[in-house]
Amino acid sequence: MPEGAMPENAKGAPQDGAMQLVLYSKPGCHLCEGLEEKIQAVTAFAIALEVRDIRTNDAWLQAYEFEIPVVCGVTAAGQEQPFPRISPRSTVAQVAQWLQKNYTG
């Protein structure tokens, strides 16, 4: 996928002002699935979410195999900025606050 392109599973179409996020995940990761669901449930602002399966890229697997789920904000320059971890017990409202606090887009 070209740099900056958003996949079909992105929440909404990429748009000006949308928070551009990447979630590093893998199938069967319950923490990953839970965080993805909470991010998708955020309605206070626009989010374009790309979910990347770490098993499809050796560099991603090496970087995130023991760290997933990992959320990165994508800057206007196309660089990824990893966010600090968030508790899996966080509510959707807490996830929304966490995203706003850490996104520097």
Side-chain angles (χ1 to χ4, degrees), residues 14-99:
Q15 55 191 339
D16 290 336
M19 188 177 286
Q20 305 290 319
L21 301 175
V22 174
L23 171 62
Y24 288 94
S25 179
K26 71 178 181 181
C29 171
H30 299 294
L31 295 175
C32 302
E33 292 164 358
L35 183 55
E36 180 181 356
E37 288 173 8
K38 289 176 185 174
I39 291 171
Q40 290 177 339
V42 171
T43 58
F45 44 88
I47 296 173
L49 177 64
E50 177 182 352
V51 180
R52 293 183 179 168
D53 181 348
I54 63 169
R55 300 171 311 152
T56 65
N57 180 298
D58 288 338
W60 298 344
L61 184 62
Q62 288 181 12
Y64 303 121
E65 181 176 13
F66 302 108
E67 302 295 324
I68 58 172
V70 174
V71 174
C72 296
V74 181
T75 67
Q79 296 196 328
E80 294 181 12
Q81 301 291 326
F83 290 2
R85 288 184 118 3
I86 187 168
S87 170
R89 294 186 175 135
S90 298
T91 65
V92 172
Q94 289 169 325
V95 169
Q97 290 175 337
W98 172 75
L99 291 172

